[in-house]
Amino acid sequence: MHMVFTVAVAGASGYAGGETLRLLSGHPEIQIGTLTAHSNAGSALGEHQPHLRGLAGRILEPTTAENLAGHDVVVLALPHGASGEIASLLPADTLVLDLGADHRLVDPAAWTEFYGSEHSGTWPYGLPELLLASDVHGERAVTKQRENLAGARRIAVPGCNVTAVTLGLQPGVAAGIIDARDLVAVLAVGYSGAGKSLKTHLLASEALGSAQAYGVGGSHRHVPEIEQNLRLAGAPEVTVSFTPVLVPMSRGILSTATARLAAGHEHATLTDVRRAWEQAYDGEPFVELLPEGQWPTTAMTVGANTALVQVAIDRRAGRVVTVTALDNLVKGTAGAAVQSMNIALGLPQTMGLEHEGTAP
Amino acid sequence: MHMVFTVAVAGASGYAGGETLRLLSGHPEIQIGTLTAHSNAGSALGEHQPHLRGLAGRILEPTTAENLAGHDVVVLALPHGASGEIASLLPADTLVLDLGADHRLVDPAAWTEFYGSEHSGTWPYGLPELLLASDVHGERAVTKQRENLAGARRIAVPGCNVTAVTLGLQPGVAAGIIDARDLVAVLAVGYSGAGKSLKTHLLASEALGSAQAYGVGGSHRHVPEIEQNLRLAGAPEVTVSFTPVLVPMSRGILSTATARLAAGHEHATLTDVRRAWEQAYDGEPFVELLPEGQWPTTAMTVGANTALVQVAIDRRAGRVVTVTALDNLVKGTAGAAVQSMNIALGLPQTMGLEHEGTAP
Amino acid sequence: MHMVFTVAVAGASGYAGGETLRLLSGHPEIQIGTLTAHSNAGSALGEHQPHLRGLAGRILEPTTAENLAGHDVVVLALPHGASGEIASLLPADTLVLDLGADHRLVDPAAWTEFYGSEHSGTWPYGLPELLLASDVHGERAVTKQRENLAGARRIAVPGCNVTAVTLGLQPGVAAGIIDARDLVAVLAVGYSGAGKSLKTHLLASEALGSAQAYGVGGSHRHVPEIEQNLRLAGAPEVTVSFTPVLVPMSRGILSTATARLAAGHEHATLTDVRRAWEQAYDGEPFVELLPEGQWPTTAMTVGANTALVQVAIDRRAGRVVTVTALDNLVKGTAGAAVQSMNIALGLPQTMGLEHEGTAP
Amino acid sequence: MHMVFTVAVAGASGYAGGETLRLLSGHPEIQIGTLTAHSNAGSALGEHQPHLRGLAGRILEPTTAENLAGHDVVVLALPHGASGEIASLLPADTLVLDLGADHRLVDPAAWTEFYGSEHSGTWPYGLPELLLASDVHGERAVTKQRENLAGARRIAVPGCNVTAVTLGLQPGVAAGIIDARDLVAVLAVGYSGAGKSLKTHLLASEALGSAQAYGVGGSHRHVPEIEQNLRLAGAPEVTVSFTPVLVPMSRGILSTATARLAAGHEHATLTDVRRAWEQAYDGEPFVELLPEGQWPTTAMTVGANTALVQVAIDRRAGRVVTVTALDNLVKGTAGAAVQSMNIALGLPQTMGLEHEGTAP
């Protein structure tokens, strides 16, 4: 005997929605219910997600609360700013996972500064491996966000770049080895992270053979979310210079994130540093510190819910350099959603996510 | 209760071997046994297939019959010409799947002409969907190769390009609608089909932004294999002009294969033509004729054991044009092996292969 | 002392217009005049063609006959169907080069069949190397289109795919060695050939890692133009099955075009065949038959006005196979325009086009 | 009347050598002389650089001082460590340009630390735009490296990554606006920078769809060269965390380099900052600060001797962020060599380098 949960997906014709469906198709306890879209409502999913052969004939319904109601789980793969209203209309006991940014930030002012609209409220954050540092009798205790997701009925799935930077740096923050002021992160990112919108700079002719930065100078909306995470991981103060660079691949994020060694840790050895990362990810099924000397590539993670991390000390620069690879659509978005869903529903967190990556 | 079969993979550090392991990792009735390599023996699999996290620590053994013996199944992912000898040393009741070309051709002379060495013998051919036409009391009867694989203990897995061309054209051949003389096939192929060998024309700098043909003019080794298949599908005579073109993608084959309408069928309608393809692939889980108007792309098949076919009539040219997309490492190689293995072992043929493709 | 000709470019914000400007920027006898655009009028060229540093500050004017008048040369880089009207308003002694299709076809019925509108008339065809066969006292005489361009004041620049197929096959047609009935051409083409229009299938996420065919089954608008050219080259009858395949590169066409050996030439040797191609292109600065054994790649031609051809005989298939590489934006479009312009103006045809390609 | 200088190129079959020949082919005052190679000696250049049609028939000689002697200019495009010996055998009045690293570093200890061999000596550094700060009566005076190249007969051409980082940051250093301690630079780089060597991680199958970091943690050989340049630009102390990331393109570097605002300049406006960069590059033909709001992409520079820079202030992070795009083979290597050669020979520095980039 096994339970089957029904899932509706709003925004099924986009990249995040499609990836969610790909993962759910292989999930043994899930039955895929209603699929909705905005301008593509009325057409068959096969026109938009032709790789999902098993769902090709499904007709997309308009994205309304009525169409989404009546499922155990609703996944919202909508543009930023669009999920607040519809979420408020869904029953409280439905598990709602928001792949957009609307419910990630705790601070309403940060939301308004970076997104320019009114804040929709804050939901439990869907990064189970997020480290949460607290002081217990003067000692630092570190727990993980996973426990906050058990039984949750609203989950805000993190931004893909945020996950890459957070997973790379947080062990050093929680261990007090690195200084979270003056972080610098530069990410090579694939085009699917920019979605399916029709913009000239997203055309293949523009992308092929080129690299282009965007959101330079602290304006990217992922900045406050990174800061929020690393504060939770134990940093009293966080500043991060964050620059994503679009490179000619459809998927993947390779994040190079660097921090100065914290005061008192200037002479930390690589063994010391690695120990912090090993401890943070010991037993984690989806986040791994690679063996010394092996550097992550995005190809190692394509299609899998895997984040691979490596760390080095640059003595000359006095900095720890971390490199993190993940698939923006899986561990960066849809895989994180399924993993969080599993936890919220009381299923094994790896269910439907055990498959290896697809390389080369 | 369920049976578990043990599988050894020879050539585990290459692309075909790696892909076989990726698929077997998700197969519920398989236990992965010994992994072997030639020059990489002694190193860990994780150095060569870092995307296969669950097998990263496995140490590669030398490729010897001793190391491969004692498994229910042995997969040989070796260079062409290398499997004949080792296969002869394996027990007759071990299921041996050869991903190389050594045991595909029925005609020893064709082998010697195209490969230049002595023929190793012919094994049952691992393309379950291959149509086999025969005359029964003056009527053409069509069966499929699948039935020849049940219980087989030696299977020759087809060449990836051959599978693409065969699946595209064989329905028209079997139905007598197209003339198999004067076929022309031009394939856009990804680089992983060329393997991991260190050659200048396979370098990223040479590949990026470029397209290059190879094996032009009838010299490619896949030619006699295509001819063999289409003769089995019912063509009295087959000639094919076959040209693969390397294009900047790591995986995928898009085969454009065209044939003249057969005498007596010059006025066939698209409905007539589509009917032949629909009949051929009706009920097939892995080969599909797309709906009218939708053309296959390789992205629709990446990572999946799927071949997608579309067909058109070019009235002006008097030709049927077929386009077939598949992933050279899956339906073109490792997926075909697992599918054939399932059939040979009496398992459901789709076991371990149900997952959808990974796009974009 | 040297003459300087002024050139206006209509459609300067698109790919063809930009490439024309790139080439004209290095032309010693040209002064770039007015640049026009449609929806981008009023903005600076640097927003659309940021690689053209020397012209970055130029403001785009609306595309009107008034703005284009008063130049020695006008290049129309407009969507198909848009050049007919504006061309009719330009002075008869202005050299007008149309990069669109409007004035290429001789047969108004073919125009209407493939483009669906009224024909704008036929202009001299801007492929100087096009072979023109005629019967002179029962002997075949072959001249070239070049001589029809001297002094011309209206020139229709060929379609990029058409140029690739024509250059590959026409020597065999003119020499009578190949049969132009039942030609098959499949082309790997880069995305810039599809222009800058915002369509989902042209997005980088869709293109990267994928190959996709389009215009399959004889519907592509380049079909009648290929047929027209090869008839001029001496074929009494031409049919061509033509399929372009978009592959992940921004520029380049690799055309694989094949034809049966003509009756009476079934036993032609490679030397016989090569002789026809050598004669056709002997002395041509921009079209070259590669040495035996070397196959063209598109990377060999990027940025240069070069077309490279290779030829093989497939004895098994009874076909000659030709592979032609060129840069769709240069010899396929803007380079052909500049070369034709040079001829029309009485300048050396290579002026401004002598630079080598950019590889890797 | 015009002077013609003869140039020999050692290492003509590699990427840097090929690019040098591409540029020299279009140089009006240069005659290309002997071409040499190591393992490829005896073969025709056309086998290795088939895009250089005009030189295809040239036979490569062995790389010896005898073969290189007797030219006005010798370009050494050899592996690091190979140029020291051969350079010492060339006449003192021959202009020798070393594209390798051997003669770049002033500090022999830095050479030995990063390259592990004995230092070959220091040559004038071929970055004409390098700012040289000095104190003149207590005032900072800034000159440029260009003047040190006039008449030089030995020139060390900079490393490609070094040029990108240096051009991005040096104006702020020279103006005292940024603090050169704790610089962080992460570069998206194309594969041609890694040369033509046959290594698994350089294969197309590994590169396509992936991003991979290398030389992480301060071990990259370009680190001391960056430090040396920025000290010359006026920084009392320089530390840089430097990480190159290979991304799937053949050419191009997009460098994101960031520095804290210097003490006393924390409140500098964007206008203040831009002024420093504008002054540094005012009148420079090959280095340009883009208009506010436009960010460089590598596609803007492909094939051209152009470096494009943009700058932003990240108030939240207290950092200036610079993005620099250039073509690693042109302004990063061969173009820098030709520019420096022009200066050394008394020719206009732009000669042979005026062409625009090739995009898309």
Side-chain angles (χ1 to χ4, degrees), chain A residues 113-114 182 205 210-212 216-218 227 245 254 260 295 297-299 314 316 319 321 360, chain D residues 113-114 182 205 210-212 216-218 227 245 248 254 260 295 297-299 314 316 319 321 360:
Chain A
E113 178 186 349
F114 280 84
D182 209 14
S205 293
S210 190
Q212 51 181 329
V216 191
E227 294 175 354
V245 177
L254 193 83
R260 280 201 303 273
W295 289 88
T297 72
T298 60
D314 184 337
R316 220 173 160 95
R319 281 186 170 263
V321 184
Chain D
E113 179 186 348
F114 280 84
D182 209 15
S205 293
S210 191
Q212 50 182 329
V216 190
E227 294 175 353
V245 176
L254 193 84
R260 279 201 304 274
W295 288 89
T297 73
T298 61
D314 184 336
R316 222 173 159 94
R319 281 185 169 266
V321 185

Short mmCIF file of all heavy atoms in Angstrom, two decimals, chain A residues 113-114 182 205 210-212 216-218 227 245 254 260 295 297-299 314 316 319 321 360, chain D residues 113-114 182 205 210-212 216-218 227 245 248 254 260 295 297-299 314 316 319 321 360:
data_model
loop_
_atom_site.label_atom_id
_atom_site.label_comp_id
_atom_site.label_asym_id
_atom_site.label_seq_id
_atom_site.Cartn_x
_atom_site.Cartn_y
_atom_site.Cartn_z
N GLU A 113 12.42 47.22 -1.92
CA GLU A 113 13.58 47.85 -2.54
C GLU A 113 13.96 47.14 -3.85
O GLU A 113 14.27 47.76 -4.85
CB GLU A 113 14.78 47.84 -1.57
CG GLU A 113 16.04 48.44 -2.18
CD GLU A 113 17.26 48.28 -1.27
OE1 GLU A 113 17.08 47.90 -0.10
OE2 GLU A 113 18.38 48.52 -1.75
N PHE A 114 13.94 45.82 -3.83
CA PHE A 114 14.45 45.08 -4.99
C PHE A 114 13.36 44.69 -5.99
O PHE A 114 13.65 44.45 -7.15
CB PHE A 114 15.22 43.85 -4.53
CG PHE A 114 16.62 44.16 -4.08
CD1 PHE A 114 16.88 44.60 -2.79
CD2 PHE A 114 17.68 44.06 -4.98
CE1 PHE A 114 18.17 44.91 -2.39
CE2 PHE A 114 18.97 44.37 -4.58
CZ PHE A 114 19.22 44.80 -3.28
N ASP A 182 32.15 41.61 2.93
CA ASP A 182 33.02 41.68 1.76
C ASP A 182 33.14 40.35 1.01
O ASP A 182 34.22 39.96 0.55
CB ASP A 182 34.41 42.18 2.17
CG ASP A 182 35.07 42.93 1.02
OD1 ASP A 182 34.38 43.26 0.05
OD2 ASP A 182 36.28 43.15 1.09
N SER A 205 21.42 33.56 -31.33
CA SER A 205 22.48 34.26 -32.07
C SER A 205 23.29 35.18 -31.16
O SER A 205 24.48 35.38 -31.38
CB SER A 205 21.88 35.10 -33.21
OG SER A 205 21.32 34.26 -34.19
N SER A 210 29.34 33.84 -26.79
CA SER A 210 29.46 35.08 -26.03
C SER A 210 29.22 34.85 -24.54
O SER A 210 28.62 33.85 -24.14
CB SER A 210 28.45 36.11 -26.55
OG SER A 210 28.70 37.38 -26.00
N ALA A 211 29.71 35.75 -23.74
CA ALA A 211 29.42 35.79 -22.30
C ALA A 211 28.99 37.20 -21.98
O ALA A 211 29.57 38.16 -22.48
CB ALA A 211 30.67 35.42 -21.49
N GLN A 212 27.93 37.32 -21.17
CA GLN A 212 27.41 38.65 -20.85
C GLN A 212 26.99 38.71 -19.38
O GLN A 212 26.30 37.83 -18.88
CB GLN A 212 26.25 39.02 -21.77
CG GLN A 212 25.13 38.00 -21.90
CD GLN A 212 24.02 38.45 -22.87
OE1 GLN A 212 23.76 39.63 -23.00
NE2 GLN A 212 23.39 37.49 -23.53
N VAL A 216 24.67 43.87 -12.69
CA VAL A 216 25.95 44.19 -12.06
C VAL A 216 25.80 45.36 -11.09
O VAL A 216 24.96 46.23 -11.30
CB VAL A 216 27.01 44.56 -13.13
CG1 VAL A 216 28.39 44.63 -12.52
CG2 VAL A 216 26.98 43.57 -14.28
N GLY A 217 26.59 45.36 -10.06
CA GLY A 217 26.64 46.52 -9.18
C GLY A 217 25.66 46.47 -8.02
O GLY A 217 25.31 47.50 -7.46
N GLY A 218 25.21 45.27 -7.68
CA GLY A 218 24.40 45.15 -6.48
C GLY A 218 22.92 45.29 -6.72
O GLY A 218 22.12 45.30 -5.79
N GLU A 227 22.08 37.52 1.50
CA GLU A 227 22.41 38.12 2.79
C GLU A 227 21.56 37.52 3.91
O GLU A 227 22.06 37.21 5.00
CB GLU A 227 22.21 39.65 2.71
CG GLU A 227 23.20 40.32 1.74
CD GLU A 227 22.94 41.80 1.56
OE1 GLU A 227 21.92 42.31 2.08
OE2 GLU A 227 23.76 42.45 0.88
N VAL A 245 26.87 35.94 -14.75
CA VAL A 245 27.34 36.08 -16.13
C VAL A 245 26.69 34.98 -16.96
O VAL A 245 26.91 33.79 -16.70
CB VAL A 245 28.88 35.95 -16.20
CG1 VAL A 245 29.36 36.01 -17.66
CG2 VAL A 245 29.55 37.03 -15.37
N LEU A 254 27.77 27.78 -12.23
CA LEU A 254 29.05 27.57 -11.57
C LEU A 254 29.35 28.84 -10.80
O LEU A 254 29.64 29.89 -11.38
CB LEU A 254 30.18 27.26 -12.55
CG LEU A 254 31.43 26.73 -11.83
CD1 LEU A 254 31.27 25.23 -11.59
CD2 LEU A 254 32.70 26.99 -12.61
N ARG A 260 37.08 36.49 2.85
CA ARG A 260 38.34 36.57 3.60
C ARG A 260 38.28 35.60 4.78
O ARG A 260 37.21 35.37 5.37
CB ARG A 260 38.57 37.99 4.12
CG ARG A 260 39.13 38.92 3.07
CD ARG A 260 39.82 40.12 3.71
NE ARG A 260 38.91 40.82 4.58
CZ ARG A 260 38.07 41.79 4.18
NH1 ARG A 260 38.05 42.18 2.91
NH2 ARG A 260 37.27 42.37 5.02
N TRP A 295 37.59 19.63 -8.96
CA TRP A 295 36.78 20.84 -9.02
C TRP A 295 35.46 20.57 -9.71
O TRP A 295 35.43 19.86 -10.72
CB TRP A 295 37.55 21.98 -9.70
CG TRP A 295 38.65 22.44 -8.79
CD1 TRP A 295 39.92 21.95 -8.70
CD2 TRP A 295 38.52 23.41 -7.75
NE1 TRP A 295 40.61 22.56 -7.68
CE2 TRP A 295 39.78 23.47 -7.08
CE3 TRP A 295 37.49 24.24 -7.31
CZ2 TRP A 295 39.99 24.33 -6.00
CZ3 TRP A 295 37.72 25.10 -6.25
CH2 TRP A 295 38.97 25.13 -5.60
N THR A 297 32.19 20.88 -12.02
CA THR A 297 31.76 21.48 -13.28
C THR A 297 30.24 21.36 -13.32
O THR A 297 29.67 20.47 -12.67
CB THR A 297 32.33 20.75 -14.49
OG1 THR A 297 31.69 19.47 -14.63
CG2 THR A 297 33.84 20.52 -14.36
N THR A 298 29.63 22.20 -14.10
CA THR A 298 28.16 22.11 -14.14
C THR A 298 27.71 20.82 -14.81
O THR A 298 26.65 20.29 -14.48
CB THR A 298 27.55 23.33 -14.87
OG1 THR A 298 28.03 23.38 -16.20
CG2 THR A 298 27.89 24.62 -14.16
N ALA A 299 28.51 20.30 -15.72
CA ALA A 299 28.13 19.05 -16.39
C ALA A 299 27.97 17.90 -15.41
O ALA A 299 27.23 16.96 -15.67
CB ALA A 299 29.17 18.68 -17.45
N ASP A 314 43.40 30.72 -0.73
CA ASP A 314 44.35 31.52 -1.48
C ASP A 314 45.15 32.33 -0.46
O ASP A 314 44.72 33.38 0.01
CB ASP A 314 43.59 32.44 -2.46
CG ASP A 314 44.53 33.24 -3.35
OD1 ASP A 314 45.70 33.44 -2.97
OD2 ASP A 314 44.08 33.66 -4.43
N ARG A 316 47.95 34.02 -0.70
CA ARG A 316 48.40 35.31 -1.18
C ARG A 316 47.31 36.37 -0.98
O ARG A 316 47.60 37.50 -0.58
CB ARG A 316 48.68 35.15 -2.67
CG ARG A 316 49.89 35.83 -3.21
CD ARG A 316 50.06 35.40 -4.66
NE ARG A 316 50.88 36.32 -5.40
CZ ARG A 316 52.18 36.17 -5.59
NH1 ARG A 316 52.82 35.10 -5.11
NH2 ARG A 316 52.88 37.07 -6.28
N ARG A 319 42.15 34.73 1.19
CA ARG A 319 40.75 34.42 0.96
C ARG A 319 40.52 32.92 0.80
O ARG A 319 41.36 32.20 0.29
CB ARG A 319 40.24 35.13 -0.30
CG ARG A 319 39.92 36.60 -0.07
CD ARG A 319 39.29 37.25 -1.29
NE ARG A 319 38.79 38.58 -0.95
CZ ARG A 319 37.53 38.87 -0.64
NH1 ARG A 319 36.62 37.91 -0.65
NH2 ARG A 319 37.17 40.09 -0.31
N VAL A 321 38.33 30.46 -1.33
CA VAL A 321 37.61 30.48 -2.60
C VAL A 321 36.78 29.20 -2.68
O VAL A 321 37.31 28.10 -2.51
CB VAL A 321 38.57 30.55 -3.80
CG1 VAL A 321 37.78 30.67 -5.11
CG2 VAL A 321 39.53 31.71 -3.65
N PRO A 360 28.16 13.14 -20.68
CA PRO A 360 28.52 14.51 -21.03
C PRO A 360 27.33 15.18 -21.74
O PRO A 360 26.41 14.51 -22.14
CB PRO A 360 29.67 14.33 -22.00
CG PRO A 360 29.34 13.05 -22.70
CD PRO A 360 28.69 12.18 -21.69
N GLU D 113 58.62 30.77 -8.71
CA GLU D 113 57.53 30.26 -7.89
C GLU D 113 56.38 29.73 -8.74
O GLU D 113 55.83 28.67 -8.47
CB GLU D 113 57.00 31.38 -6.97
CG GLU D 113 55.83 30.93 -6.08
CD GLU D 113 55.22 32.09 -5.28
OE1 GLU D 113 55.82 33.17 -5.23
OE2 GLU D 113 54.11 31.88 -4.72
N PHE D 114 56.04 30.47 -9.79
CA PHE D 114 54.85 30.09 -10.56
C PHE D 114 55.16 29.20 -11.76
O PHE D 114 54.29 28.48 -12.24
CB PHE D 114 54.08 31.33 -10.99
CG PHE D 114 53.22 31.90 -9.90
CD1 PHE D 114 53.76 32.77 -8.96
CD2 PHE D 114 51.89 31.53 -9.78
CE1 PHE D 114 52.97 33.28 -7.93
CE2 PHE D 114 51.10 32.04 -8.77
CZ PHE D 114 51.65 32.91 -7.82
N ASP D 182 43.03 43.18 -1.83
CA ASP D 182 41.76 42.47 -1.78
C ASP D 182 40.93 42.62 -3.04
O ASP D 182 39.71 42.76 -3.00
CB ASP D 182 40.96 42.91 -0.55
CG ASP D 182 40.05 41.78 -0.07
OD1 ASP D 182 40.24 40.63 -0.50
OD2 ASP D 182 39.14 42.07 0.71
N SER D 205 33.08 17.32 -26.04
CA SER D 205 32.04 16.65 -25.25
C SER D 205 32.07 17.11 -23.80
O SER D 205 31.04 17.16 -23.13
CB SER D 205 32.22 15.13 -25.30
OG SER D 205 31.97 14.65 -26.60
N SER D 210 28.79 22.99 -20.31
CA SER D 210 29.41 22.96 -18.99
C SER D 210 30.27 24.19 -18.74
O SER D 210 30.68 24.88 -19.67
CB SER D 210 30.29 21.70 -18.86
OG SER D 210 30.70 21.50 -17.53
N ALA D 211 30.51 24.47 -17.48
CA ALA D 211 31.45 25.51 -17.07
C ALA D 211 32.37 24.89 -16.04
O ALA D 211 31.93 24.14 -15.18
CB ALA D 211 30.70 26.71 -16.46
N GLN D 212 33.67 25.17 -16.17
CA GLN D 212 34.62 24.56 -15.25
C GLN D 212 35.70 25.58 -14.86
O GLN D 212 36.26 26.25 -15.70
CB GLN D 212 35.26 23.30 -15.84
CG GLN D 212 35.83 23.44 -17.25
CD GLN D 212 36.40 22.12 -17.79
OE1 GLN D 212 36.90 21.31 -17.03
NE2 GLN D 212 36.33 21.93 -19.09
N VAL D 216 42.31 27.47 -9.42
CA VAL D 216 41.63 28.17 -8.32
C VAL D 216 42.56 28.25 -7.10
O VAL D 216 43.40 27.39 -6.88
CB VAL D 216 40.36 27.41 -7.90
CG1 VAL D 216 39.51 28.23 -6.95
CG2 VAL D 216 39.54 27.01 -9.12
N GLY D 217 42.39 29.29 -6.34
CA GLY D 217 43.11 29.38 -5.06
C GLY D 217 44.45 30.06 -5.14
O GLY D 217 45.31 29.86 -4.29
N GLY D 218 44.66 30.86 -6.19
CA GLY D 218 45.89 31.64 -6.24
C GLY D 218 47.03 30.96 -6.94
O GLY D 218 48.16 31.48 -6.97
N GLU D 227 49.53 41.45 -10.48
CA GLU D 227 50.05 42.24 -9.36
C GLU D 227 51.13 43.22 -9.83
O GLU D 227 51.15 44.38 -9.43
CB GLU D 227 50.61 41.30 -8.28
CG GLU D 227 49.51 40.46 -7.63
CD GLU D 227 50.05 39.43 -6.63
OE1 GLU D 227 51.29 39.27 -6.54
OE2 GLU D 227 49.23 38.78 -5.96
N VAL D 245 37.27 30.72 -15.38
CA VAL D 245 36.25 29.68 -15.56
C VAL D 245 36.08 29.44 -17.06
O VAL D 245 35.70 30.35 -17.80
CB VAL D 245 34.90 30.12 -14.94
CG1 VAL D 245 33.82 29.08 -15.20
CG2 VAL D 245 35.05 30.39 -13.46
N PRO D 248 31.62 27.44 -22.56
CA PRO D 248 31.58 26.87 -23.91
C PRO D 248 31.58 27.89 -25.04
O PRO D 248 30.59 28.08 -25.72
CB PRO D 248 30.28 26.06 -23.92
CG PRO D 248 29.74 26.09 -22.55
CD PRO D 248 30.38 27.20 -21.83
N LEU D 254 35.45 37.39 -20.51
CA LEU D 254 34.65 38.39 -19.81
C LEU D 254 35.13 38.39 -18.37
O LEU D 254 34.90 37.45 -17.62
CB LEU D 254 33.16 38.08 -19.88
CG LEU D 254 32.32 39.28 -19.43
CD1 LEU D 254 32.13 40.25 -20.60
CD2 LEU D 254 30.96 38.87 -18.90
N ARG D 260 37.46 47.27 -3.52
CA ARG D 260 36.81 48.19 -2.58
C ARG D 260 37.16 49.64 -2.94
O ARG D 260 38.26 49.92 -3.44
CB ARG D 260 37.27 47.90 -1.16
CG ARG D 260 36.54 46.72 -0.53
CD ARG D 260 36.63 46.78 0.99
NE ARG D 260 38.00 46.82 1.43
CZ ARG D 260 38.77 45.74 1.62
NH1 ARG D 260 38.30 44.53 1.42
NH2 ARG D 260 40.02 45.88 2.02
N TRP D 295 26.59 47.12 -21.01
CA TRP D 295 27.59 46.20 -20.47
C TRP D 295 28.26 45.42 -21.58
O TRP D 295 27.63 45.00 -22.53
CB TRP D 295 26.92 45.26 -19.45
CG TRP D 295 26.60 46.05 -18.21
CD1 TRP D 295 25.45 46.72 -17.95
CD2 TRP D 295 27.48 46.31 -17.13
NE1 TRP D 295 25.55 47.39 -16.76
CE2 TRP D 295 26.78 47.16 -16.22
CE3 TRP D 295 28.79 45.92 -16.82
CZ2 TRP D 295 27.36 47.62 -15.03
CZ3 TRP D 295 29.36 46.37 -15.63
CH2 TRP D 295 28.65 47.22 -14.76
N THR D 297 29.94 42.51 -23.77
CA THR D 297 29.86 41.07 -23.96
C THR D 297 31.06 40.68 -24.81
O THR D 297 31.60 41.51 -25.54
CB THR D 297 28.58 40.66 -24.71
OG1 THR D 297 28.69 41.04 -26.09
CG2 THR D 297 27.34 41.30 -24.10
N THR D 298 31.44 39.43 -24.71
CA THR D 298 32.61 39.03 -25.52
C THR D 298 32.29 39.07 -27.00
O THR D 298 33.18 39.31 -27.82
CB THR D 298 33.11 37.63 -25.12
OG1 THR D 298 32.08 36.68 -25.35
CG2 THR D 298 33.52 37.60 -23.66
N ALA D 299 31.04 38.85 -27.36
CA ALA D 299 30.67 38.88 -28.78
C ALA D 299 30.97 40.24 -29.41
O ALA D 299 31.19 40.34 -30.61
CB ALA D 299 29.20 38.53 -28.97
N ASP D 314 28.89 49.33 -6.37
CA ASP D 314 27.95 48.56 -5.55
C ASP D 314 28.00 49.15 -4.14
O ASP D 314 28.88 48.83 -3.35
CB ASP D 314 28.36 47.07 -5.55
CG ASP D 314 27.37 46.20 -4.79
OD1 ASP D 314 26.65 46.73 -3.92
OD2 ASP D 314 27.33 44.99 -5.06
N ARG D 316 26.05 48.84 -1.55
CA ARG D 316 25.80 47.88 -0.48
C ARG D 316 27.08 47.16 -0.10
O ARG D 316 27.36 46.92 1.06
CB ARG D 316 24.80 46.86 -1.04
CG ARG D 316 23.70 46.43 -0.12
CD ARG D 316 22.74 45.56 -0.92
NE ARG D 316 21.95 44.71 -0.06
CZ ARG D 316 20.75 45.01 0.40
NH1 ARG D 316 20.18 46.15 0.05
NH2 ARG D 316 20.10 44.17 1.18
N ARG D 319 31.97 48.33 -3.08
CA ARG D 319 32.94 47.92 -4.10
C ARG D 319 32.63 48.55 -5.46
O ARG D 319 31.48 48.76 -5.81
CB ARG D 319 32.95 46.39 -4.25
CG ARG D 319 33.74 45.68 -3.15
CD ARG D 319 33.83 44.19 -3.37
NE ARG D 319 34.80 43.59 -2.45
CZ ARG D 319 36.08 43.37 -2.73
NH1 ARG D 319 36.55 43.63 -3.95
NH2 ARG D 319 36.89 42.86 -1.82
N VAL D 321 32.72 47.56 -9.26
CA VAL D 321 32.71 46.34 -10.06
C VAL D 321 33.00 46.72 -11.50
O VAL D 321 32.32 47.60 -12.05
CB VAL D 321 31.36 45.61 -9.98
CG1 VAL D 321 31.41 44.29 -10.73
CG2 VAL D 321 30.96 45.38 -8.53
N PRO D 360 26.89 38.71 -35.06
CA PRO D 360 26.84 37.79 -33.93
C PRO D 360 27.67 36.54 -34.25
O PRO D 360 28.06 36.34 -35.38
CB PRO D 360 25.36 37.43 -33.86
CG PRO D 360 24.91 37.48 -35.29
CD PRO D 360 25.70 38.59 -35.92
#
